Amino acid sequence: MPKPATPHRVAKPGNVMATRRNEPGLIQRLAAGAVICAEGYVFELERRGYLQAGAFVPVVLSEHPEVVEQLHMDFVRAGSDVTQALTYYVHREKLRVIGREKDLVPMNLTALKIAKRVARRTDTLFAGDLCNTNIYDPTDRRALKEVERIFEEQVGWAADAGVDYIVAETFAWGGEALMALEAIKKYSKVPAVVTFSVHREESVREGWTPAETCRRLEVAGAEVVGVNCHRGPATMMPVLKRIRRAVKCAVAALPVPYRTTRRQPSLMSLTDPRCGNARAFPTGLDPFLCTRAEMGEFGREAFDLGIRYLGICCGAGPHHIRALAEALGRHPESSKYSVDMSKHAYFGTDKKIRSVQTEYRAKL
Ligand SMILES: [Zn+2]
């Protein structure tokens, strides 16, 4: 087995505890109510012009780290309880694909440093992040070794940075999710939130149902299990109902904010009739975007089901997170700018609004 080029130091329990604060951790917060976690950083940064759709590697960490910090702040002001380090797709396999393996360590450490700074400044939870490696193949022993190495080093860097917990997300294989969980348990002392993705088929690639996959993850020690990405609220909700019934632990739900349908249940399957029924993913998804109200409705419905770890994945903007937070009865900082039409030029009801405009309302 090749030796890691940059061995990390595995955090000892004392080391991890030394960086913890007195605020309630993930588990206590989940016991008290919902935990909101904004995800979808890569999509949002692509929209803003700081990384390339396709490979979706957040090179913005090297080129414009201040933009990542600002986006964390935007999400926190909108109601995220968590600042999740942008280490999604900052693993050695993804960097190999774009020929930037040498940036592996600095990019991971930068992502963790920025997220930690924001988390400590804002009293949000500081989360590490692991994700799909895209090389996992249950029949390929060499690939499995490489996956193991990817998870080990990323968990090590996160633990060393003093994360409050680690998210492992967007897996299509249940086995890969279990490997990520095993690494979190082996190389850190923090809770694990493990979510996988449901694509067109309801099962993960082994053929396990989402409920069964969640049960396996719970038995293997995950503190929170569930699904993230790929499915919109409409097509994730039926899956969530079955998952909630199948496990005892906390459940996570982080859909994409897109109007997926029974026939096209995932964001990659959506086709746009205005564009010759071409696949809309990844840069033509705008016409399918959910409104803020729809995301708020999703949050309320999921919470009523008993789902406590809630967020939104690829496609989410801070406005969606704010809507989700407000639907759960929160009033985050940016709610002071939530819509108030009373002073609108045409639709306003305030007495300072001139009738010359409001009388024209019906013709708008
Ligand atoms: Zn996503």
Side-chain angles (χ1 to χ4, degrees):
M1 177 190 167
K3 261 186 81 180
T6 47
H8 65 264
R9 190 166 43 84
V10 172
K12 294 173 186 65
N15 194 14
V16 173
M17 294 311 290
T19 61
R20 303 296 294 278
R21 305 138 303 133
N22 293 324
E23 287 94 42
L26 173 68
I27 305 304
Q28 292 94 319
R29 290 197 196 197
L30 285 168
V35 169
I36 298 172
C37 179
E39 286 189 1
Y41 284 90
V42 166
F43 254 49
E44 178 62 12
L45 289 163
E46 188 280 331
R47 269 196 301 229
R48 295 186 187 191
Y50 291 98
L51 64 88
Q52 192 163 37
F56 282 112
V57 178
V59 292
V60 59
L61 287 161
S62 316
E63 293 161 9
H64 288 285
E66 74 285 358
V67 175
V68 179
E69 182 154 356
Q70 183 61 51
L71 182 56
H72 282 314
M73 286 304 302
D74 294 349
F75 278 134
V76 170
R77 288 199 177 103
S80 185
D81 295 312
V82 181
T83 304
Q84 184 168 309
L86 179 53
T87 52
Y88 183 88
Y89 272 2
V90 193
H91 55 62
R92 66 173 61 242
E93 171 56 22
K94 262 293 170 184
L95 291 174
R96 192 188 63 77
V97 170
I98 64 159
R100 289 183 66 161
E101 282 163 296
K102 64 171 176 34
D103 295 331
L104 175 70
V105 179
M107 278 174 72
N108 273 276
L109 299 189
T110 299
L112 287 158
K113 196 171 107 187
I114 296 170
K116 184 175 189 173
R117 189 159 61 225
V118 172
R120 297 306 179 236
R121 191 193 304 150
T122 58
D123 281 343
T124 48
L125 293 165
F126 170 33
D129 182 73
L130 307 178
C131 67
N132 51 311
T133 61
N134 304 317
I135 52 170
Y136 178 89
D137 176 349
T139 65
D140 181 344
R141 285 188 57 190
R142 268 188 66 180
L144 293 176
K145 276 281 169 209
E146 188 63 11
V147 172
E148 230 174 70
R149 179 192 189 189
I150 286 171
F151 292 153
E152 177 182 345
E153 62 192 3
Q154 283 199 299
V155 171
W157 292 319
D160 283 353
V163 292
D164 297 315
Y165 70 97
I166 298 175
V167 171
E169 53 156 321
T170 327
F171 304 104
W173 293 94
E176 190 179 21
L178 284 162
M179 278 181 71
L181 172 61
E182 197 184 328
I184 296 169
K185 293 290 154 189
K186 198 166 164 190
Y187 302 114
S188 83
K189 301 287 176 190
V190 294
V193 174
V194 187
T195 56
F196 54 92
S197 295
V198 178
H199 295 264
R200 223 188 250 265
E201 292 182 324
E202 277 236 345
S203 54
V204 292
R205 289 185 65 176
E206 288 89 344
W208 311 339
T209 64
E212 185 187 351
T213 309
C214 284
R215 265 196 303 270
R216 286 177 189 243
L217 289 164
E218 181 181 34
V219 167
E223 277 77 5
V224 182
V225 299
V227 279
N228 80 295
C229 208
H230 291 274
R231 287 205 168 198
T235 53
M236 185 179 276
M237 196 53 76
V239 176
L240 291 174
K241 288 178 183 163
R242 290 192 278 277
I243 290 175
R244 186 54 286 179
R245 283 196 295 268
V247 294
K248 291 191 182 67
C249 64
V251 172
L254 302 96
V256 290
Y258 293 110
R259 290 174 172 169
T260 51
T261 64
R262 191 189 288 264
R263 292 188 62 186
Q264 299 186 335
S266 64
L267 90 168
M268 287 187 186
S269 64
L270 287 168
T271 57
D272 188 350
R274 296 281 292 270
C275 299
N277 287 318
R279 196 187 285 270
F281 178 85
T283 54
L285 287 163
D286 308 63
F288 301 98
L289 199 63
C290 290
T291 64
R292 307 169 199 211
E294 287 172 304
M295 296 319 294
E297 200 180 308
F298 158 78
R300 256 190 311 273
E301 204 181 325
F303 187 83
D304 289 346
L305 267 184
I307 289 159
R308 293 291 176 265
Y309 191 96
L310 292 160
I312 312 176
C313 207
C314 301
H319 61 310
H320 286 122
I321 294 297
R322 179 174 65 186
L324 176 66
E326 288 176 350
L328 298 174
R330 309 276 185 91
H331 189 82
E333 189 183 334
S334 68
S335 286
K336 70 177 174 183
Y337 297 123
S338 285
V339 62
D340 172 7
M341 289 295 282
S342 70
K343 294 186 178 69
H344 188 269
Y346 293 101
F347 300 103
T349 49
D350 191 282
K351 57 179 184 298
K352 291 195 279 293
I353 303 300
R354 297 293 178 92
S355 58
V356 65
Q357 295 296 76
T358 55
E359 279 163 7
Y360 193 65
R361 200 179 279 172
K363 292 186 177 160
L364 291 169

